[in-house]
Amino acid sequence: MKREIYLIRHGETDWNKERRFQGQTDIPLNDNGRRQAKSLRESLKGKLPFDRIICSDLCRARETAEIINEGSQSPIIIDPAFRELCFGKWEGMVFPDIKKEYPLEAKYWSTAPHLLHISGGESLQELFGRVWPRFIYWTQLEDYRSMAVVCHGGTCGALLCGLLNKPLSELVTYIHGNTALNVAELHENGVYQMARVNDQ
């Protein structure tokens, strides 16, 4: 039996709007983010309810999951492993200021992000090592036909690198917009295949 996994980035926050690095700072959705989540719920109507929704414990992901789930009553399971990349001292900053204060780190983020370990934060390897095993755990269970994973831009990027067999050096190119949707299919032979990528 083919299973479907809906990989969803949370709706917009004020920090997204201001282009601030959020990381694991717990910033809520703004009104536009709530509208985005409601619009996504409408576009998913034919696919709801999911057998379960896994989401990050950060409030922007939880609220997105709750809005998508309105009227569906799918079980929502909180898994902190799906948190965003910890950006350490960058959190709350905009990139022009980061380039001034941390010029070498900013250069690595732009050219070789897989070689960067942000001061006080995580590397992309650490992010992948945290999220990929939990994704495998939840999706390889045989008790569902469709499920959603609601998380963050960097988290989705790491998972897409795993699903598409891409190197982490390309992760930043897979950080899509708020409420971007990716759909993976898991076939009976255990192989994942992407059905939709960056569907907004």
Side-chain angles (χ1 to χ4, degrees):
M1 178 184 71
K2 181 178 71 176
R3 297 181 176 86
E4 291 185 322
I5 303 111
Y6 289 72
L7 183 59
I8 298 166
R9 187 185 178 190
H10 63 78
E12 185 186 75
T13 71
D14 284 344
W15 279 20
N16 288 143
K17 188 175 181 180
E18 296 164 5
R19 302 185 69 82
R20 296 185 184 278
F21 282 75
Q22 288 182 120
Q24 297 185 3
T25 304
D26 207 6
I27 307 299
L29 296 182
N30 60 22
D31 288 341
N32 187 51
R34 295 181 185 99
R35 284 192 293 269
Q36 290 172 332
K38 289 174 183 176
S39 177
L40 180 59
R41 183 185 66 215
E42 290 302 307
S43 71
L44 289 172
K45 261 189 174 177
K47 302 293 184 180
L48 299 173
F50 296 118
D51 293 307
R52 63 170 162 262
I53 300 174
I54 310 297
C55 79
S56 158
D57 62 336
L58 298 178
C59 65
R60 57 192 185 268
R62 290 201 323 268
E63 188 176 3
T64 301
E66 288 162 1
I67 291 170
I68 292 169
N69 198 36
E70 284 176 8
S72 293
Q73 298 182 323
S74 302
I76 296 177
I77 301 168
I78 305 298
D79 190 334
F82 289 99
R83 281 186 174 197
E84 179 59 288
L85 174 71
C86 179
F87 282 100
K89 293 181 179 180
W90 287 18
E91 294 192 9
M93 298 181 70
V94 294
F95 198 61
D97 291 339
I98 291 168
K99 285 197 288 187
K100 291 176 188 174
E101 195 164 339
Y102 305 102
L104 183 59
E105 290 183 354
K107 183 178 180 181
Y108 272 109
W109 179 254
S110 299
T111 60
H114 59 298
L115 301 179
L116 173 64
H117 194 295
I118 297 167
S119 182
E122 291 179 295
S123 67
L124 297 188
Q125 287 84 359
E126 287 171 328
L127 170 65
F128 187 81
R130 168 162 58 82
V131 302
W132 185 248
R134 295 302 291 168
F135 180 82
I136 295 297
Y137 168 77
W138 287 113
T139 59
Q140 292 286 340
L141 295 175
E142 297 183 355
D143 61 346
Y144 74 98
R145 297 189 71 136
S146 71
M147 62 177 284
V149 178
V150 182
C151 52
H152 307 271
T155 312
C156 287
L159 294 174
L160 285 168
C161 284
L163 289 163
L164 295 167
N165 197 29
K166 298 291 185 180
L168 292 178
S169 59
E170 296 182 20
L171 185 148
V172 176
T173 66
Y174 293 104
I175 297 179
H176 300 143
N178 294 110
T179 62
L181 174 67
N182 300 277
V183 183
E185 297 174 345
L186 176 59
H187 296 270
E188 288 185 359
N189 60 1
V191 173
Y192 296 95
Q193 184 176 12
M194 295 306 299
R196 296 161 71 179
V197 177
N198 195 22
D199 195 347
Q200 293 181 282

